[in-house]
Amino acid sequence: MKELPVFKIGNYYGYDQKALSADHWMNVGGCGAITACDVSIYLALHCGRTDLYPYDLQHLNAVDYIRFTQTMKPFLRPRPSGIDTLDLWIDGYSEYLDSVGEHDVYMQGLSGACSLAEMERIVKKEIDSNMPVPYLNLRHHNPALNDYVWHWFWLAGYDDSQDEFMVKLITYGTYRWLSLKELWDTGYERKGGIILLHLPWDR
């Protein structure tokens, strides 16, 4: 079992997409950009990549975070079809990294079409390496997961001490523990997947 530190803004873990009421498109479709904002702040706070967040890391607040979402928006803009592939997110976030002069973050995607055992292995490896795990979920057969349909979020922990491999999911300003098997088993042929983030010391 391992959990990554998750920053808070007010009472939110990360920030709540639904609170971006002044920007309709970010409110309804900004999950890819918001996940990138959260990942950037995590890397700035815990991996020394302070160039990734242009505001005060010691005093995180909603005003600065909302400004940051507007900085990220052109790179991972909401669109009618959503940021519906891993490559779209990698390309957009890579452009943001280039814009701030960050060239040491390496990314690759792992399709959700992989086996459950492989997904569990890689999620565990990433979190054990202190890396957050951006996750794209497309359609899902389970109505209980409707809030996560066509949605980006990130994983900040795992628990392999029980029968089910559980993951800590961060989105909408809160967290939730879910079975990775339940997330992975969407019931559809086309799946999303996860982004693997690497810094020079863990390649």
Side-chain angles (χ1 to χ4, degrees):
M1 178 176 183
K2 180 166 182 171
E3 293 184 60
L4 302 179
V6 179
F7 67 90
K8 293 187 73 175
I9 296 178
N11 292 323
Y12 294 133
Y13 290 86
Y15 198 69
D16 186 2
Q17 175 182 341
K18 296 177 181 178
L20 299 175
S21 55
D23 186 326
H24 171 74
W25 283 108
M26 289 295 285
N27 177 270
V28 300
C31 55
I34 290 165
T35 298
C37 288
D38 283 5
V39 166
S40 296
I41 293 172
Y42 177 92
L43 294 176
L45 284 170
H46 304 293
C47 301
R49 303 293 156 167
T50 55
D51 52 340
L52 298 188
Y53 184 67
Y55 303 103
D56 187 351
L57 283 167
Q58 303 308 312
H59 300 92
L60 296 170
N61 61 81
V63 171
D64 288 346
Y65 187 95
I66 292 168
R67 289 174 180 160
F68 189 36
T69 65
Q70 293 302 302
T71 298
M72 193 66 71
K73 182 179 177 181
F75 301 99
L76 289 160
R77 60 178 178 79
R79 61 203 77 185
S81 61
I83 298 172
D84 60 348
T85 70
L86 302 179
D87 285 343
L88 274 176
W89 195 91
I90 290 172
D91 289 347
Y93 193 47
S94 293
E95 289 178 8
Y96 171 71
L97 295 176
D98 287 344
S99 77
V100 297
E102 175 57 69
H103 305 297
D104 286 336
V105 178
Y106 171 73
M107 292 177 282
Q108 64 186 108
L110 176 67
S111 169
C114 71
S115 69
L116 175 60
E118 178 71 355
M119 181 68 74
E120 290 179 353
R121 184 183 73 82
I122 295 298
V123 166
K124 184 176 187 296
K125 180 180 178 182
E126 289 294 288
I127 293 173
D128 282 343
S129 298
N130 298 310
M131 288 291 106
V133 182
Y135 194 116
L136 170 63
N137 182 67
L138 297 175
R139 300 171 73 187
H140 206 287
H141 69 90
N142 186 349
L145 298 181
N146 281 349
D147 283 346
Y148 311 119
V149 167
W150 231 261
H151 190 59
W152 282 93
F153 46 86
W154 59 288
L155 306 181
Y158 71 85
D159 184 353
D160 58 351
S161 64
Q162 307 298 323
D163 292 339
E164 290 275 355
F165 186 97
M166 306 293 289
V167 288
K168 186 177 183 178
L169 185 157
I170 309 294
T171 190
Y172 298 124
T174 188
Y175 70 87
R176 179 180 177 185
W177 285 94
L178 284 174
S179 160
L180 183 59
K181 179 180 179 181
E182 185 176 9
L183 272 177
W184 169 86
D185 185 15
T186 66
Y188 291 91
E189 182 176 351
R190 185 186 176 198
K191 296 186 177 185
I194 61 174
I195 306 294
L196 285 59
L197 299 164
H198 300 291
L199 293 170
W201 61 75
D202 68 352
R203 289 187 195 173

